[in-house]
Amino acid sequence: MLIVKKFGGSSVANKERIFNVANRCIEDYKAGHDVVVVLSAMGDTTDDLIALAHTIDSNPKKRELDMLLTTGEQVSVALMAMAMQSLDVPAVSLNAFQVQMHSTARYGAARFKRIDTDRIRHELDSRKIVIVTGFQGINKYDDITTLGRGGSDTTAVALAAVLHADRCEIFTDVDGVYTADPRVVKNAMKLDEVTYDEMLELASLGAKVLHNRSVEMAKKYGVELVVRSSLNRSEGTVIKEKAKMEKMLITGVAADTNTARISVIGVEDKPGTAFRIFHTLAKNSINVDIILQSVGRDGTKDISFTVSEDDLQNALDILEEHKETLTIQQITCNPHVAKISVIGAGMMSNPGVAARMFESLYNSRININMISTSEIRITVLVDEKDVDKAMNAVHDGFIMTE
Amino acid sequence: MLIVKKFGGSSVANKERIFNVANRCIEDYKAGHDVVVVLSAMGDTTDDLIALAHTIDSNPKKRELDMLLTTGEQVSVALMAMAMQSLDVPAVSLNAFQVQMHSTARYGAARFKRIDTDRIRHELDSRKIVIVTGFQGINKYDDITTLGRGGSDTTAVALAAVLHADRCEIFTDVDGVYTADPRVVKNAMKLDEVTYDEMLELASLGAKVLHNRSVEMAKKYGVELVVRSSLNRSEGTVIKEKAKMEKMLITGVAADTNTARISVIGVEDKPGTAFRIFHTLAKNSINVDIILQSVGRDGTKDISFTVSEDDLQNALDILEEHKETLTIQQITCNPHVAKISVIGAGMMSNPGVAARMFESLYNSRININMISTSEIRITVLVDEKDVDKAMNAVHDGFIMTE
């Protein structure tokens, strides 16, 4: 069996943790498996290097920043190889040049284009554990790129895909994927399995276990992922195309407080108005999420939508600038809102999920501002102050009653 | 003009020094020259990384150690490129993979085999300052190697050779090459010029300004070196094939206290005895320096020689082991000796240099243990406690009387 195992920065933050990781990998190796390990930089190394760069230039060129940051993973893989060798297990560390991990040219946010497998295969064939730098690639100029935050997960999934690995394990500091954030919802439960689509909805709604890009790539190439803890032996959560038959209606409940509502009041009620507003925002790289349009009256209508809080001021400025051409009479906003979502592939074949969610919220006297749905998700907008209460109400309304 | 400039770790140890180096390079660039900069790791980075490796394994594999250590130079070149860019000067950092600096396979002590110039030429042609990682190469396995201590000097000279640079400047924390160590000999003077051969003799005798390998390579490829300070604007010392005509008889006086004397007593006085002794030591990688053989008597003879103090115990063990076959009756040693050498191409055409040296030592009542000479060097062995007095006596006897 070929297993790709990815460990984040906190899992290799010091000597003890490095040997802990080394031993877990060696177990699989001694069981006869081929093992490829993907590592992030130790602990806070990446942040420390960014801070170091900022002492030189507050806005360093991304090419040079990538050249700097990628040293972090190279340190991790070299130390891990030493640790395994000191335990008398053959191991070899490889960086993006050595593997030939080809990426797009864009520094700081590159994407993999093609990964050569010759070198890794050669090392596996000589029965070595292969330790690869996460987070980095090389572009067509032969320069080092980074994949952006969460990039090491993507490296692991990409390697699992090209090597046709039997398993790709993402080790983290939580036991797996939960039905809700355990710090907020006291009854949150660990899930044994979720589908790629459920995981994508969960991740995009603030469940920070896995980066969306890595889940998308896993889905595209059919790589079965396991999210598990580097600190204990818990089985973790399997992420795959179809989860088991007897599954819960709802996989999880997620909250996102990094959201703000904008309302544009009294715009002309004729075709193309909404398009022009959202086209103007999109041109300026502002992602709009839930949209609610009132019924027209007196030849005008009101449109409300949500953006991330980071984009709020920018969005308001742009709307103000184009107020005349977009026929907006008034702009209002509320940054103190939060999204609560229930996610589950099971709801596709089960009507009444929305009703049950609204009932749970009503029973807890929580007001719903806006509603948005996808095939496997229902999202409502509530006041930010109600978010914890709403999470618990919705979670227990679904998960605990099944 | 194409100029290669090399700066050591202390010259890039912090933000202020990085900008100091950046500005010195930019001066040459703005004067219209092509500038290639070779950097070591910042400050004590290399030692810190070695210490980090030793927390994992007291004797890490050299391949992985090289993988680890080379991150140090990559950090330096990335930060330097950022510093220059922040001063609005185009710059680009390159590591051994990007330049394609091919070396022998031997980790920790690799030697350059071939350096591609395409990438550097391309960057210079687009009027960038090119900043290259010192100390590192890649071998035929596509793995990272290091050149051993002093390796960044070698990188600079090698680049100057393949790029046919007009000048190769080695920046250090001293003003140049001195007639003797200024910390020991108060009348020591800075030299304007020395020949490669003189520099080689000086360096091998403990004048730690330049690593011998870099001087040998400079001599082989005719690269004119300049050793100068990164801290001031002093002109430094030029190292080249022939120094100027009107030169001093003696270029410098050097001392080496890392030496020990071994005597093997009563060995058979017949052909092949000395050969067998030194062959046995050479097979065990022990370098023997000065050799003195007594006149034979009663069919036996005594042989004395010096080794570095690091090799002393190893040499004694080997001799003891082969005592019988080497016909040695007794082995004695003295670690408390030092070599004093006078060096100068001028002595080739000037008899009487040795006599003048012995006179200086005699006048200071310093006893001479052993004597060794080359074409441009005379070395005597003295007691270690006399070394400073001997240095001053010999130095002033030559340099100050001319």
Side-chain angles (χ1 to χ4, degrees), chain A residues 64 93 98 119 141 143, chain B residues 63-64 93 98 119 141 143:
Chain A
E64 301 303 331
S93 67
Q98 289 165 308
R119 179 70 190 264
Y141 308 113
D143 285 343
Chain B
R63 180 196 181 277
E64 300 304 330
S93 66
Q98 290 165 308
R119 178 72 191 262
Y141 309 112
D143 286 342

Side-chain angles (χ1 to χ4, degrees), chain B residues 336-338 340 361 366-369 380-384 386-387 390:
Chain B
H336 305 297
V337 291
I340 303 281
L361 291 168
I366 292 161
N367 194 38
I368 298 171
N369 280 264
V380 298
L381 201 69
V382 300
D383 284 351
E384 199 168 303
D386 290 332
V387 66

Side-chain angles (χ1 to χ4, degrees), chain A residues 268 276 319-328:
Chain A
E268 277 183 7
R276 287 212 315 279
L319 291 170
E320 191 64 45
E321 189 190 335
H322 298 88
K323 206 171 167 182
E324 297 268 317
T325 53
L326 296 175
T327 71
I328 300 170

Side-chain angles (χ1 to χ4, degrees), chain B residues 108 119 140 175 184 230 250 255 271 283 321:
Chain B
R119 178 72 191 262
K140 61 182 172 186
D175 286 350
V184 176
S230 63
I250 295 301
K283 263 198 316 192
E321 189 190 336

Side-chain angles (χ1 to χ4, degrees), chain B residues 147-162:
Chain B
L147 308 176
R149 291 278 163 162
S152 291
D153 290 347
T154 309
T155 303
V157 174
L159 283 175
V162 297

